Amino acid sequence: MSENIEEKLNEEMQNQANENEQEKEEVVEQKEETLEDVVARLENELKESEDKFLRVHADFENIKKRLEKEKFMAIDYASEKFAKDILTPLDTLQMALKSADADISAEELLPKLKEGIELTLKSFLSTFEKHGVSKVETDGEFDPNYHDAVMRVDSNDHESGQIVAELQAGYVLKDRLLRPAMVSIAN
């Protein structure tokens, strides 16, 4: 009988070992499946991340191109407001030319032309002032940053180096010199 018990115990142990082996195989299979699942999930996440990256990169490139285009348009049309404001003095000059053809005497025409030219000049200067363009001052000392001395003259009324006369007006746009004033200075 003890052999029977031993056989049964061996058999029981063998069954237990087989069951443990099957459980281990199942756990290994489950681990393999979960590893495959993890790899598949990670591959999907990688594809989604690559897709998001490509979309963001494309959006960035589109924004960059649009900003570049807007920058060039801003540069091209930066002087549009100034050009529109110059149209009024231009119209005044054209009207002055038309009035010169009018059938009136020279005695009447000359004062009207002079008045028209003065109004046109005033219109130009107010437009310039509106856009930050101002005339270079020529009273006082010569400044090589704003004045261009084209001749020296003798003058009893001025000290040496002072501006005697303005030959051509100079202009400044805000703080930048557009054109220096041509002046004559005293010896």
Side-chain angles (χ1 to χ4, degrees), residues 112 133 158 165 170 175 180:
K112 288 185 179 189
V133 177
H158 298 89
D175 292 331

Side-chain angles (χ1 to χ4, degrees), residues 82 86 120-138 143-148 166-183:
F82 182 71
I86 290 292
T120 303
L121 183 60
K122 190 184 275 188
S123 179
F124 267 115
L125 292 175
S126 68
T127 299
F128 281 173
E129 186 178 306
K130 180 179 175 182
H131 290 278
V133 177
S134 58
K135 190 175 175 191
V136 172
E137 293 298 321
T138 56
D143 182 355
N145 296 318
Y146 293 100
H147 306 119
D148 186 13
E166 176 183 79
L167 306 173
Q168 184 182 48
Y171 292 94
V172 177
L173 174 61
K174 297 181 182 166
D175 292 331
R176 186 177 289 175
L177 183 67
L178 292 174
R179 179 178 77 188
M182 286 178 32
V183 295

Side-chain angles (χ1 to χ4, degrees), residues 8 11 25-26 30 33 36 38 40 43 49-52 64 73-74 78 108 122 126-127 138 146 159 170-171 175 181:
K8 281 189 176 183
E11 218 177 277
E25 287 176 10
E26 286 177 7
Q30 286 177 348
E33 286 179 38
E36 289 172 3
V38 167
E43 284 177 347
S49 295
E50 285 175 344
D51 186 48
K52 284 180 184 177
K64 185 177 165 185
M73 287 190 67
E108 293 175 20
K122 190 184 275 188
S126 68
T127 299
T138 56
Y146 293 100
E159 293 179 21
Y171 292 94
D175 292 331

Side-chain angles (χ1 to χ4, degrees), residues 89-125:
L90 180 66
D91 292 339
T92 308
L93 282 173
Q94 289 173 340
M95 289 187 329
L97 278 175
K98 285 181 184 176
S99 69
D101 293 337
D103 198 17
I104 56 175
S105 69
E107 292 172 5
E108 293 175 20
L109 181 62
L110 202 52
K112 288 185 179 189
L113 280 177
K114 183 180 179 194
E115 181 184 354
I117 291 170
E118 287 172 347
L119 289 173
T120 303
L121 183 60
K122 190 184 275 188
S123 179
F124 267 115
L125 292 175

